[in-house]
């Protein structure tokens, strides 16, 4: 399993979304966090499994929240470049 790193903008998107859901309900915020971490773990385990989004970037969709994780597979790590809300801005 490759290590991962977040682009600073993706990290900010992730934090903003987690705060939004936590403000609605701490439990909901926790579920959002767990879901994004699950997506990242699946990406790290099998990066080529998920669809090409905008070559060479790929994306992995959440089934629980309207979010996708956009990433690039580098030689030594997975670079998370966006935690994208795909209903607000579908043409990211």
């Amino acid at each position: 399993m490759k290590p991962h790193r977040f682009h600073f903008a993706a990290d900010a998107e992730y934090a903003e979304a987690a705060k939004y859901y936590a403000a609605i309900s701490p439990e909901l915020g926790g579920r959002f966090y767990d879901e994004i971490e699950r997506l990242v773990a699946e990406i790290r385990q099998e990066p080529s499994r998920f669809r090409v989004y905008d070559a060479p970037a790929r994306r992995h969709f959440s089934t629980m929240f309207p979010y996708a994780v956009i990433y690039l597979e580098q030689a030594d790590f997975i670079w998370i470049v966006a935690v994208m809300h795909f209903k607000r801005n579908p043409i990211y």
Side-chain angles (χ1 to χ4, degrees):
M1 185 181 300
K2 286 187 176 183
H4 71 286
R5 299 179 190 158
F6 278 87
H7 183 279
F8 72 91
D11 194 42
E13 289 172 325
Y14 186 14
E16 182 180 326
K19 286 178 192 175
Y20 170 79
Y21 286 113
I24 294 169
S25 157
E27 180 184 329
L28 186 59
R31 288 196 343 240
F32 177 77
Y33 174 82
D34 291 344
E35 176 68 356
I36 298 302
E37 291 302 309
R38 181 187 69 78
L39 297 178
V40 170
E42 289 178 357
I43 290 166
R44 292 177 59 210
Q45 196 163 24
E46 200 174 351
S48 62
R49 175 177 156 201
F50 304 101
R51 286 189 178 174
V52 172
Y53 174 63
D54 186 10
R58 293 178 177 268
R59 69 180 167 192
H60 185 11
F61 287 105
S62 168
T63 57
M64 297 175 62
F65 294 90
Y67 277 83
V69 174
I70 311 298
Y71 65 95
L72 296 165
E73 183 177 8
Q74 303 294 306
D76 297 332
F77 65 95
I78 301 298
W79 192 29
I80 309 295
V81 295
V83 177
M84 176 181 91
H85 189 294
F86 58 82
K87 288 189 177 180
R88 273 192 218 141
N89 193 1
I91 306 171
Y92 202 74

